[in-house]
């Protein structure tokens, strides 16, 4: 089988089958908030988390609070300043930047259905209500969206199945939803080397 060399947006090289549909996906978090839009800081003031090595815990003591806006919990200070994830103008700018970087889709950090009484992330942020704005901003920029179902409190196989049904019914028809393209050289998803798409071989 012939292999080609593909370069990602970070400049790393990977060897892939020539027929592979190469795409780049990044994690996208919706848990940032500001007093102006959310009534308080969210995650910009996140305390230092414990590390698994004593050396790092000595350098960065666990539980140390951060005080935004001058000292946010982030190794990098955003060029646009500390923002709220519910700011739709910021979402649109972020999606345009993501598209310009050659990224195909964002994997959306999702903390369960808004109507469910569940434990969410460490600061109780519900991301479900922000999904429509994210999808609209992504569609306008030509960026796809997929789901990263986070480990909310009480998550079980049955609850995840219910979540997937909910996400499909509510957002499944949105044009921003990521859909994996078929392999190169194929119009219907079948392989171009004579093998059938269900894994069975074809000698015809």
């Amino acid at each position: 089988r012939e292999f080609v060399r593909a370069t990602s947006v970070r400049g790393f090289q990977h060897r892939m089958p020539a027929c592979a549909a190469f795409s780049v996906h990044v994690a996208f978090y919706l848990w940032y908030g500001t007093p102006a839009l959310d009534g308080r800081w969210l995650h910009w003031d996140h305390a230092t988390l414990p590390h698994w090595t004593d050396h790092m815990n000595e350098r960065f003591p666990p539980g140390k609070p951060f005080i935004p806006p001058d000292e946010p919990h982030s190794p990098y200070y955003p060029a646009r300043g500390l923002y709220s994830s519910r700011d739709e103008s910021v979402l649109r700018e972020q999606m345009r930047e993501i598209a310009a970087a050659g990224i195909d889709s964002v994997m959306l950090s999702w903390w369960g259905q808004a109507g469910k009484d569940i434990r969410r992330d460490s600061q109780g942020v519900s991301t479900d209500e922000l999904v429509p704005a994210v999808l609209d901003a992504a569609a306008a920029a030509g960026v796809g969206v997929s789901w990263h179902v986070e480990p909310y409190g009480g998550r079980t196989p049955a609850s995840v199945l219910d979540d997937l049904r909910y996400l499909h019914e509510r957002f499944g028809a949105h044009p921003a939803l990521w859909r994996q393209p078929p392999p190169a050289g194929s119009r219907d998803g079948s392989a171009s080397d004579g093998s059938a798409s269900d894994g069975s071989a074809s000698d015809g």
Side-chain angles (χ1 to χ4, degrees), residues 42-61:
L42 292 172
H43 283 279
W44 297 116
D45 62 345
H46 201 297
T48 305
L49 298 174
H51 198 266
W52 52 89
T53 66
D54 293 337
H55 171 68
M56 293 301 292
N57 285 328
E58 290 173 1
R59 287 187 60 194
F60 306 101

Side-chain angles (χ1 to χ4, degrees), residues 36-88:
L37 289 180
D38 303 89
R40 63 188 177 104
W41 292 109
L42 292 172
H43 283 279
W44 297 116
D45 62 345
H46 201 297
T48 305
L49 298 174
H51 198 266
W52 52 89
T53 66
D54 293 337
H55 171 68
M56 293 301 292
N57 285 328
E58 290 173 1
R59 287 187 60 194
F60 306 101
K64 177 185 178 297
F66 285 80
I67 305 174
D70 297 324
E71 189 185 10
H73 179 95
S74 174
Y76 307 104
Y77 197 95
R80 63 172 50 89
L82 305 188
Y83 60 86
S84 169
S85 295
R86 67 176 61 251
D87 188 330
E88 295 185 11

Side-chain angles (χ1 to χ4, degrees), residues 67-145:
I67 305 174
D70 297 324
E71 189 185 10
H73 179 95
S74 174
Y76 307 104
Y77 197 95
R80 63 172 50 89
L82 305 188
Y83 60 86
S84 169
S85 295
R86 67 176 61 251
D87 188 330
E88 295 185 11
S89 65
V90 170
L91 285 174
R92 290 191 293 269
E93 291 173 4
Q94 290 174 326
M95 291 301 173
R96 285 194 292 265
E97 292 168 355
I98 287 169
I103 295 166
D104 297 288
S105 87
V106 296
M107 299 174 291
L108 190 61
S109 172
W110 185 76
W111 282 90
Q113 301 176 44
K116 295 291 184 70
D117 183 18
I118 54 177
R119 178 180 55 80
R120 306 187 193 277
D121 78 323
S122 61
Q123 294 193 354
V125 177
S126 176
T127 55
D128 190 37
E129 64 192 68
L130 306 182
V131 170
V134 174
L135 291 172
D136 290 345
V143 174
V145 176

Side-chain angles (χ1 to χ4, degrees), residues 14-27:
H14 307 278
R15 294 187 64 82
M16 302 176 60
C19 64
F22 181 73
S23 54
V24 180
H25 310 267
V26 298

